[in-house]
Structures are given as structure tokens and as C-alpha cells.
Amino acid sequence: AYWVDDLHLRHFPDREVIYSTDVGGLCHRPMGFPNDRALVMGGAVAAGFLQIYTDFSRVRGAELDSATCVEEFLWALARAKGLKWEIVRQDWLPLFVAMHRKIGP
């Protein structure tokens, strides 16, 4: 990802909340669930939330089983763990995803 502006921590005051933008992206209509490209959270929340590989096989729930993408799974996992997630404005996490591809042999 390329960051195109500063990250202002004043936008993320609650260390008990996971913050991200909407998965719709900067130039698209919001889709209603979080983007996983950049997350802001406090250390205690991170320690409890960022065990995703282990949680994939251990945490059970219909909402987790019906997730159709990584972003939906993460959002459902946060709710299953009782964590708050807030979707913030796109310009609060000002980044663009970069994809590098080799063309040819």
C-alpha cells in the first residue's frame, strides 16, 4: 500500500475499538463492512483479536461459517469476541493498494 497523507491518531481515540475504512474503497460506494487493508486498534485489543489463524479453527458460530470473504469473517470474529469495530472515513486511513505484476516470461 502507498500512504498518501499523514495518519492522525486523534481520529482514533478509543483504544478498545478496531478502526478501519469501508471495504468499498476511496472511489466506490460503501459496501457496509470493513476493509482489512489497514486496521487501527489498541494493544490489548490487538492481543485478543489478532489470533486469526487459531480462531479460524477454534471459534464457532453461524455468522463466521457464512462469511463470504476475509473482511466479513474478521468483522464477525470481532463481534463473536465482543469487540467494537468502527468504520471511519476513507481519508482517515489515506492509502492506495499497490499491485506489482511481472509481465512476460
Side-chain angles (χ1 to χ4, degrees):
Y2 288 104
W3 288 86
V4 295
D5 200 356
D6 294 331
L7 178 67
H8 301 285
L9 293 179
R10 70 179 178 272
H11 295 308
F12 313 102
D14 191 340
R15 297 173 58 95
E16 300 297 317
V17 172
I18 301 168
Y19 297 96
S20 75
T21 59
D22 186 272
V23 75
L26 184 61
C27 301
H28 302 288
R29 185 171 44 115
M31 296 179 68
F33 56 94
N35 193 330
D36 67 344
R37 293 184 176 145
L39 306 174
V40 177
M41 65 191 87
V45 171
F49 179 65
L50 296 177
Q51 303 171 28
I52 299 162
Y53 183 81
T54 300
D55 290 339
F56 180 76
S57 61
R58 293 187 182 167
V59 178
R60 299 285 178 232
E63 192 175 16
L64 294 166
D65 294 339
S66 65
T68 60
C69 62
V70 172
E71 293 88 355
E72 271 188 281
F73 177 81
L74 294 177
W75 202 16
L77 180 61
R79 285 194 301 273
K81 292 183 166 200
L83 301 173
K84 295 183 279 182
W85 196 311
E86 185 176 324
I87 297 176
V88 298
R89 296 171 28 168
Q90 297 289 339
D91 61 336
W92 287 7
L93 293 169
L95 65 97
F96 288 96
V97 175
M99 183 179 290
H100 303 278
R101 295 180 12 174
K102 180 180 178 182
I103 299 176

